[in-house]
Short mmCIF file of all heavy atoms in Angstrom, two decimals:
data_model
loop_
_atom_site.label_atom_id
_atom_site.label_comp_id
_atom_site.label_asym_id
_atom_site.label_seq_id
_atom_site.Cartn_x
_atom_site.Cartn_y
_atom_site.Cartn_z
N PRO A 1 152.58 87.13 31.59
CA PRO A 1 152.26 88.45 31.00
C PRO A 1 152.10 88.34 29.49
O PRO A 1 152.70 87.50 28.84
CB PRO A 1 153.48 89.30 31.37
CG PRO A 1 154.58 88.32 31.60
CD PRO A 1 153.93 87.08 32.15
N ARG A 2 151.28 89.21 28.95
CA ARG A 2 151.07 89.28 27.50
C ARG A 2 150.86 90.73 27.11
O ARG A 2 150.60 91.59 27.97
CB ARG A 2 149.84 88.46 27.09
CG ARG A 2 148.52 89.03 27.58
CD ARG A 2 147.35 88.14 27.19
NE ARG A 2 146.07 88.79 27.45
CZ ARG A 2 145.47 88.84 28.63
NH1 ARG A 2 146.06 88.27 29.68
NH2 ARG A 2 144.32 89.46 28.77
N LEU A 3 151.02 91.02 25.84
CA LEU A 3 150.84 92.38 25.38
C LEU A 3 149.38 92.80 25.47
O LEU A 3 148.47 92.04 25.15
CB LEU A 3 151.30 92.53 23.91
CG LEU A 3 152.80 92.42 23.65
CD1 LEU A 3 153.09 92.72 22.19
CD2 LEU A 3 153.57 93.40 24.54
N GLY A 4 149.17 94.00 25.94
CA GLY A 4 147.84 94.59 25.95
C GLY A 4 147.77 95.66 24.88
O GLY A 4 148.57 95.69 23.94
N ARG A 5 146.85 96.54 25.04
CA ARG A 5 146.68 97.65 24.09
C ARG A 5 147.06 98.93 24.81
O ARG A 5 146.40 99.34 25.77
CB ARG A 5 145.23 97.73 23.60
CG ARG A 5 144.96 98.91 22.69
CD ARG A 5 143.51 98.90 22.24
NE ARG A 5 143.18 100.10 21.50
CZ ARG A 5 142.73 101.21 22.07
NH1 ARG A 5 142.57 101.26 23.38
NH2 ARG A 5 142.44 102.28 21.34
N GLN A 6 148.14 99.58 24.39
CA GLN A 6 148.59 100.80 25.04
C GLN A 6 147.61 101.94 24.76
O GLN A 6 147.21 102.17 23.63
CB GLN A 6 149.98 101.22 24.56
CG GLN A 6 150.53 102.42 25.33
CD GLN A 6 151.97 102.69 24.99
OE1 GLN A 6 152.59 101.96 24.24
NE2 GLN A 6 152.51 103.75 25.56
N THR A 7 147.23 102.62 25.83
CA THR A 7 146.27 103.71 25.70
C THR A 7 146.96 104.97 25.19
O THR A 7 147.99 105.38 25.69
CB THR A 7 145.63 104.02 27.07
OG1 THR A 7 145.00 102.83 27.56
CG2 THR A 7 144.60 105.12 26.94
N GLU A 8 146.37 105.55 24.15
CA GLU A 8 146.86 106.81 23.63
C GLU A 8 145.97 107.93 24.13
O GLU A 8 144.74 107.84 24.09
CB GLU A 8 146.85 106.79 22.10
CG GLU A 8 147.35 108.08 21.47
CD GLU A 8 147.29 108.04 19.96
OE1 GLU A 8 146.23 108.40 19.40
OE2 GLU A 8 148.28 107.62 19.35
N ILE A 9 146.57 109.00 24.65
CA ILE A 9 145.82 110.14 25.14
C ILE A 9 145.39 110.99 23.95
O ILE A 9 146.23 111.43 23.17
CB ILE A 9 146.66 110.97 26.12
CG1 ILE A 9 147.30 110.07 27.18
CG2 ILE A 9 145.80 112.05 26.77
CD1 ILE A 9 146.34 109.23 27.96
N THR A 10 144.10 111.22 23.81
CA THR A 10 143.57 112.02 22.71
C THR A 10 142.96 113.29 23.24
O THR A 10 142.17 113.26 24.19
CB THR A 10 142.51 111.23 21.92
OG1 THR A 10 143.09 110.01 21.43
CG2 THR A 10 142.00 112.05 20.74
N GLN A 11 143.33 114.42 22.64
CA GLN A 11 142.79 115.71 23.02
C GLN A 11 141.98 116.29 21.88
O GLN A 11 142.35 116.16 20.72
CB GLN A 11 143.94 116.69 23.33
CG GLN A 11 144.77 116.32 24.55
CD GLN A 11 144.07 116.65 25.85
OE1 GLN A 11 142.88 116.91 25.87
NE2 GLN A 11 144.80 116.64 26.93
N PRO A 12 140.85 116.94 22.19
CA PRO A 12 140.07 117.59 21.13
C PRO A 12 140.75 118.87 20.67
O PRO A 12 141.17 119.69 21.49
CB PRO A 12 138.73 117.89 21.81
CG PRO A 12 139.07 118.00 23.26
CD PRO A 12 140.21 117.03 23.50
N LEU A 13 140.88 119.03 19.38
CA LEU A 13 141.49 120.23 18.83
C LEU A 13 140.48 121.37 18.89
O LEU A 13 139.32 121.21 18.53
CB LEU A 13 141.90 119.98 17.38
CG LEU A 13 142.74 121.06 16.70
CD1 LEU A 13 144.09 121.21 17.38
CD2 LEU A 13 142.93 120.72 15.22
N GLY A 14 140.92 122.53 19.37
CA GLY A 14 140.05 123.69 19.43
C GLY A 14 139.17 123.74 20.66
O GLY A 14 138.22 124.51 20.71
N ALA A 15 139.48 122.93 21.68
CA ALA A 15 138.71 122.96 22.92
C ALA A 15 139.64 123.30 24.08
O ALA A 15 140.81 122.95 24.07
CB ALA A 15 138.05 121.61 23.17
N LEU A 16 139.11 123.98 25.08
CA LEU A 16 139.88 124.30 26.27
C LEU A 16 139.90 123.06 27.15
O LEU A 16 138.89 122.68 27.74
CB LEU A 16 139.25 125.47 27.01
CG LEU A 16 139.98 125.93 28.28
CD1 LEU A 16 141.38 126.39 27.94
CD2 LEU A 16 139.20 127.06 28.95
N TYR A 17 141.02 122.39 27.22
CA TYR A 17 141.08 121.12 27.91
C TYR A 17 142.08 121.15 29.05
O TYR A 17 142.95 122.00 29.13
CB TYR A 17 141.46 119.99 26.95
CG TYR A 17 142.87 120.12 26.40
CD1 TYR A 17 143.95 119.66 27.11
CD2 TYR A 17 143.10 120.73 25.16
CE1 TYR A 17 145.24 119.79 26.62
CE2 TYR A 17 144.38 120.87 24.68
CZ TYR A 17 145.45 120.40 25.40
OH TYR A 17 146.71 120.55 24.91
N SER A 18 141.94 120.17 29.93
CA SER A 18 142.92 119.91 30.97
C SER A 18 143.56 118.57 30.68
O SER A 18 142.87 117.57 30.52
CB SER A 18 142.23 119.89 32.34
OG SER A 18 143.05 119.27 33.31
N LEU A 19 144.88 118.53 30.58
CA LEU A 19 145.56 117.26 30.33
C LEU A 19 145.25 116.28 31.45
O LEU A 19 145.08 115.08 31.22
CB LEU A 19 147.07 117.50 30.23
CG LEU A 19 147.94 116.29 29.90
CD1 LEU A 19 147.55 115.70 28.55
CD2 LEU A 19 149.41 116.66 29.91
N PHE A 20 145.15 116.78 32.67
CA PHE A 20 144.81 115.95 33.82
C PHE A 20 143.48 115.23 33.58
O PHE A 20 143.38 114.01 33.76
CB PHE A 20 144.72 116.85 35.06
CG PHE A 20 144.39 116.13 36.34
CD1 PHE A 20 145.38 115.57 37.12
CD2 PHE A 20 143.07 116.04 36.77
CE1 PHE A 20 145.07 114.92 38.31
CE2 PHE A 20 142.75 115.39 37.95
CZ PHE A 20 143.75 114.84 38.72
N ALA A 21 142.47 115.99 33.16
CA ALA A 21 141.15 115.39 32.93
C ALA A 21 141.17 114.43 31.76
O ALA A 21 140.52 113.37 31.78
CB ALA A 21 140.12 116.50 32.70
N SER A 22 141.92 114.75 30.71
CA SER A 22 141.97 113.89 29.53
C SER A 22 142.62 112.55 29.84
O SER A 22 142.18 111.51 29.35
CB SER A 22 142.71 114.60 28.40
OG SER A 22 141.99 115.72 27.96
N VAL A 23 143.67 112.58 30.65
CA VAL A 23 144.33 111.33 31.03
C VAL A 23 143.36 110.44 31.80
O VAL A 23 143.23 109.24 31.52
CB VAL A 23 145.59 111.61 31.87
CG1 VAL A 23 146.14 110.32 32.47
CG2 VAL A 23 146.66 112.27 31.01
N ARG A 24 142.65 111.02 32.76
CA ARG A 24 141.69 110.24 33.53
C ARG A 24 140.53 109.75 32.68
O ARG A 24 139.99 108.67 32.89
CB ARG A 24 141.19 111.06 34.71
CG ARG A 24 142.27 111.26 35.77
CD ARG A 24 141.69 111.64 37.11
NE ARG A 24 142.67 111.44 38.17
CZ ARG A 24 142.43 111.71 39.45
NH1 ARG A 24 141.26 112.20 39.82
NH2 ARG A 24 143.37 111.50 40.37
N ALA A 25 140.13 110.56 31.70
CA ALA A 25 139.04 110.16 30.81
C ALA A 25 139.43 108.94 29.98
O ALA A 25 138.56 108.20 29.52
CB ALA A 25 138.66 111.31 29.89
N ASN A 26 140.73 108.73 29.80
CA ASN A 26 141.22 107.56 29.06
C ASN A 26 141.46 106.37 29.97
O ASN A 26 142.06 105.38 29.56
CB ASN A 26 142.51 107.92 28.31
CG ASN A 26 142.23 108.67 27.02
OD1 ASN A 26 142.04 108.08 25.96
ND2 ASN A 26 142.21 109.99 27.10
N GLY A 27 141.01 106.47 31.23
CA GLY A 27 141.08 105.35 32.15
C GLY A 27 142.41 105.15 32.83
O GLY A 27 142.68 104.07 33.37
N LEU A 28 143.27 106.18 32.85
CA LEU A 28 144.59 106.08 33.46
C LEU A 28 144.69 107.01 34.66
O LEU A 28 143.98 108.02 34.76
CB LEU A 28 145.68 106.45 32.44
CG LEU A 28 145.76 105.60 31.18
CD1 LEU A 28 146.79 106.19 30.22
CD2 LEU A 28 146.10 104.16 31.51
N SER A 29 145.58 106.66 35.58
CA SER A 29 145.86 107.56 36.69
C SER A 29 146.63 108.77 36.18
O SER A 29 147.47 108.65 35.29
CB SER A 29 146.67 106.84 37.77
OG SER A 29 147.94 106.44 37.26
N ALA A 30 146.33 109.95 36.72
CA ALA A 30 146.99 111.19 36.32
C ALA A 30 147.69 111.79 37.52
O ALA A 30 147.05 112.17 38.49
CB ALA A 30 145.96 112.17 35.76
N THR A 31 149.01 111.84 37.47
CA THR A 31 149.80 112.41 38.56
C THR A 31 150.89 113.32 37.99
O THR A 31 151.15 113.31 36.78
CB THR A 31 150.47 111.30 39.40
OG1 THR A 31 151.28 110.48 38.55
CG2 THR A 31 149.43 110.43 40.09
N SER A 32 151.49 114.10 38.87
CA SER A 32 152.55 115.02 38.46
C SER A 32 153.67 115.00 39.48
O SER A 32 153.45 114.78 40.67
CB SER A 32 152.02 116.45 38.34
OG SER A 32 151.03 116.56 37.35
N SER A 33 154.87 115.22 38.98
CA SER A 33 156.04 115.43 39.84
C SER A 33 156.47 116.88 39.64
O SER A 33 156.89 117.26 38.54
CB SER A 33 157.17 114.47 39.46
OG SER A 33 158.35 114.78 40.18
N VAL A 34 156.35 117.69 40.69
CA VAL A 34 156.69 119.11 40.59
C VAL A 34 158.20 119.28 40.69
O VAL A 34 158.82 118.88 41.68
CB VAL A 34 155.98 119.92 41.69
CG1 VAL A 34 156.40 121.38 41.63
CG2 VAL A 34 154.46 119.80 41.52
N ARG A 35 158.78 119.87 39.68
CA ARG A 35 160.21 120.14 39.68
C ARG A 35 160.52 121.54 40.19
O ARG A 35 161.52 121.74 40.89
CB ARG A 35 160.78 119.97 38.26
CG ARG A 35 160.80 118.53 37.78
CD ARG A 35 161.20 118.40 36.33
NE ARG A 35 162.38 119.17 35.97
CZ ARG A 35 163.65 118.80 36.22
NH1 ARG A 35 163.88 117.65 36.84
NH2 ARG A 35 164.64 119.57 35.84
N VAL A 36 159.69 122.51 39.83
CA VAL A 36 159.91 123.90 40.24
C VAL A 36 158.57 124.55 40.51
O VAL A 36 157.62 124.37 39.73
CB VAL A 36 160.66 124.71 39.16
CG1 VAL A 36 160.92 126.13 39.66
CG2 VAL A 36 161.96 124.04 38.75
N LEU A 37 158.47 125.31 41.59
CA LEU A 37 157.33 126.18 41.86
C LEU A 37 157.89 127.41 42.57
O LEU A 37 158.20 127.36 43.75
CB LEU A 37 156.28 125.48 42.72
CG LEU A 37 155.05 126.32 43.11
CD1 LEU A 37 154.33 126.85 41.88
CD2 LEU A 37 154.09 125.51 43.98
N ASP A 38 158.08 128.50 41.83
CA ASP A 38 158.68 129.68 42.42
C ASP A 38 158.18 130.94 41.72
O ASP A 38 157.33 130.88 40.84
CB ASP A 38 160.21 129.60 42.38
CG ASP A 38 160.78 129.58 40.96
OD1 ASP A 38 160.04 129.89 40.00
OD2 ASP A 38 161.98 129.25 40.79
N VAL A 39 158.71 132.07 42.14
CA VAL A 39 158.36 133.36 41.55
C VAL A 39 159.61 133.90 40.87
O VAL A 39 160.70 133.90 41.46
CB VAL A 39 157.86 134.35 42.62
CG1 VAL A 39 157.53 135.71 41.98
CG2 VAL A 39 156.63 133.79 43.33
N ARG A 40 159.46 134.37 39.64
CA ARG A 40 160.60 134.84 38.88
C ARG A 40 160.14 135.89 37.86
O ARG A 40 158.93 136.07 37.64
CB ARG A 40 161.28 133.69 38.15
CG ARG A 40 160.38 132.96 37.18
CD ARG A 40 161.10 131.80 36.49
NE ARG A 40 161.53 130.78 37.43
CZ ARG A 40 162.22 129.69 37.08
NH1 ARG A 40 162.55 129.51 35.80
NH2 ARG A 40 162.57 128.80 37.96
N ALA A 41 161.10 136.56 37.26
CA ALA A 41 160.81 137.51 36.17
C ALA A 41 161.32 136.91 34.87
O ALA A 41 162.39 136.30 34.82
CB ALA A 41 161.48 138.85 36.44
N ASP A 42 160.53 137.04 33.82
CA ASP A 42 160.90 136.57 32.50
C ASP A 42 160.31 137.54 31.50
O ASP A 42 159.09 137.55 31.26
CB ASP A 42 160.37 135.15 32.26
CG ASP A 42 160.90 134.53 30.98
OD1 ASP A 42 160.79 135.18 29.91
OD2 ASP A 42 161.41 133.39 31.03
N GLY A 43 161.17 138.37 30.92
CA GLY A 43 160.70 139.42 30.03
C GLY A 43 159.98 138.91 28.81
O GLY A 43 158.98 139.51 28.37
N VAL A 44 160.45 137.79 28.23
CA VAL A 44 159.85 137.25 27.03
C VAL A 44 158.43 136.76 27.32
O VAL A 44 157.47 137.06 26.60
CB VAL A 44 160.70 136.11 26.45
CG1 VAL A 44 159.99 135.44 25.28
CG2 VAL A 44 162.06 136.65 26.00
N VAL A 45 158.27 136.00 28.41
CA VAL A 45 156.95 135.47 28.76
C VAL A 45 156.03 136.60 29.19
O VAL A 45 154.84 136.61 28.85
CB VAL A 45 157.07 134.41 29.87
CG1 VAL A 45 155.68 133.97 30.33
CG2 VAL A 45 157.86 133.20 29.37
N ALA A 46 156.56 137.57 29.95
CA ALA A 46 155.74 138.69 30.39
C ALA A 46 155.14 139.42 29.19
O ALA A 46 153.97 139.81 29.20
CB ALA A 46 156.57 139.65 31.24
N ALA A 47 155.94 139.57 28.13
CA ALA A 47 155.44 140.23 26.93
C ALA A 47 154.31 139.43 26.29
O ALA A 47 153.34 140.01 25.78
CB ALA A 47 156.58 140.44 25.94
N LYS A 48 154.42 138.11 26.31
CA LYS A 48 153.35 137.27 25.76
C LYS A 48 152.06 137.46 26.55
O LYS A 48 150.95 137.31 26.00
CB LYS A 48 153.78 135.80 25.79
CG LYS A 48 154.95 135.46 24.88
CD LYS A 48 155.32 134.00 25.01
CE LYS A 48 156.56 133.65 24.19
NZ LYS A 48 156.37 133.80 22.75
#
């Protein structure tokens, strides 16, 4: 084994982007581990 070049994920500033798409655009696999998916009330976020 030898050192390679670590890929840095770059996002365009001021564009509506998907992190998923940006990761794949950099030649890497894009996956997620879901920790929570539920329905809840949050007054602070609701106001936003």
Side-chain angles (χ1 to χ4, degrees):
R2 68 182 190 279
L3 291 185
R5 176 179 173 271
Q6 186 172 357
T7 302
E8 180 182 89
I9 311 303
T10 302
Q11 294 283 15
L13 189 64
L16 181 61
Y17 66 84
S18 162
L19 183 60
F20 181 87
S22 294
V23 170
R24 290 200 163 179
N26 280 271
L28 300 174
S29 63
T31 57
S32 297
S33 173
V34 177
R35 290 173 47 80
V36 182
L37 178 57
D38 64 14
V39 179
R40 60 181 63 182
D42 188 309
V44 174
V45 174
K48 294 178 185 295

